[in-house]
Amino acid sequence: SISLALGTTITISSNHWVMAWTGLEINTLAIIPLISKSHHPRAIEAAIKYFLVQAAASTLLLFSSMINAWHTGQWDITQLSHPTSSLLLTTAIAMKLGLVPFHFWFPEVLQGSSLTTAMLLSTVMKFPPITILFLTSHSLNPALLTTMAVSSAALGGWMGLNQTQIRKVLAFSSISHLGWMTITLIYNPKLTLTTFYLYCIMTSAIFLTLNSTKSLKLSTMMTSWTKAPVLNTALMMTLLSLAGLPPLTGFLPKWLIIQELSKQEMAASATIIAILSLLGLFFYLRLAYYSTITLPPNPTNFMKHWHTNKPTNTLIATLSSMSALLLPLSPMTLASV
């Protein structure tokens, strides 16, 4: 975990491409033992897939910065002016983040990891690549990013519909949220970061709650209501917030992004991505329904789950509250964006 913090810090504070690359490599090497910790064949497979994809992406990133340095003599991250370099960089970061069409590894890796590692992969590990996109946003190709963003939102929505494994559902939800972040990147990079922070708060709350109730599949989620009713109610609110329903925090980024796209006269993209988020809404509603409304069948051989006496983590309480109640603070957020 110290290496994770170190790698992230190096990448987000560096001006030089090689330093950014070093930070990304430290991050990758630090998370691999966490993925393969359980020694289950699926976990080992996930770790190998993750390593191969991240190594390829890091190499592409280094290649792109070398081409840029070759043509312009600049190693500064913000001076990415060569078109081939910016194309290669977009590809490398898309691979690192799991944006369509480089998304295939992400659901598989998440499914092979434990819930806490899956949380790190969905939040902390996305921070350095997002930072690099933030620093180079002025020199990226708008058409390419918009295409990738809309297809990520579409695929994240479609593929999440028929999943029964919660980690896979959350992986596809992550892909569709990355689509929302990418579409506004060129026009308002600070809004991308705000969206990412709010997404991290909501996703962490969900993963920590699931870890607390030990739910991995929809069927186990149904039985967790008898264990911790209040926690499951909070989970329902967080899921609906992640879906972007109005009185909750998750509505804020979607609202601001659609507003920004309208300002940029991209009403068509805004309409498409808003309609595609309805696909996501369907599976979030299904998760929320399973977590709170469906009571499990109670045949005689069903072992009764007693209420767990262990107190809920303060972190879960804080994150769940933030996931549901931050919308009234939006004027403050708007001032920073």
Side-chain angles (χ1 to χ4, degrees), residues 197-214:
Y197 297 146
L198 292 174
Y199 164 76
C200 282
I201 289 170
M202 295 183 282
T203 307
S204 304
I206 289 172
F207 273 118
L208 290 170
T209 307
L210 292 172
N211 191 42
S212 179
T213 59
K214 299 281 175 278

Side-chain angles (χ1 to χ4, degrees), residues 105-126:
W105 63 274
F106 191 53
E108 302 292 328
V109 171
L110 236 61
Q111 185 55 35
S113 319
S114 67
L115 282 166
T116 38
T117 310
M119 179 186 77
L120 287 175
L121 284 168
S122 305
T123 55
V124 179
M125 300 303 289
K126 303 261 159 119

Side-chain angles (χ1 to χ4, degrees), residues 169-336:
V169 171
L170 288 169
F172 287 116
S173 117
S174 181
I175 292 169
S176 66
H177 276 271
L178 281 168
W180 279 87
M181 291 172 216
T182 314
I183 202 162
T184 185
L185 179 74
I186 292 178
Y187 312 107
N188 193 341
K190 280 187 178 171
L191 179 53
T192 298
L193 280 186
T194 310
T195 309
F196 178 67
Y197 297 146
L198 292 174
Y199 164 76
C200 282
I201 289 170
M202 295 183 282
T203 307
S204 304
I206 289 172
F207 273 118
L208 290 170
T209 307
L210 292 172
N211 191 42
S212 179
T213 59
K214 299 281 175 278
S215 308
L216 291 174
K217 297 197 292 288
L218 287 180
S219 53
T220 47
M221 205 171 180
M222 286 162 69
T223 58
S224 67
W225 172 258
T226 44
K227 289 190 210 169
V230 180
L231 189 58
N232 272 43
T233 311
L235 176 63
M236 181 189 78
M237 297 301 286
T238 313
L239 282 163
L240 295 179
S241 180
L242 197 58
L245 288 182
L248 306 165
T249 311
F251 175 60
L252 178 65
K254 286 190 164 53
W255 173 30
L256 293 179
I257 288 170
I258 287 175
Q259 191 183 337
E260 185 62 41
L261 291 175
S262 309
K263 276 187 206 162
Q264 301 294 338
E265 296 177 358
M266 291 174 67
S269 302
T271 310
I272 292 167
I273 204 163
I275 290 171
L276 290 172
S277 74
L278 292 175
L279 291 167
L281 176 64
F282 177 80
F283 61 74
Y284 292 124
L285 277 174
R286 189 173 62 177
L287 280 174
Y289 180 81
Y290 276 123
S291 69
T292 47
I293 305 164
T294 318
L295 279 175
N298 277 328
T300 44
N301 61 0
F302 179 74
M303 196 172 72
K304 182 145 183 63
H305 287 294
W306 296 102
H307 285 267
T308 40
N309 290 324
K310 74 169 191 248
T312 301
N313 194 327
T314 322
L315 183 61
I316 300 181
T318 315
L319 289 171
S320 298
S321 311
M322 288 170 78
S323 304
L325 305 170
L326 279 185
L327 194 68
L329 293 180
S330 52
M332 203 166 73
T333 321
L334 284 170
S336 68

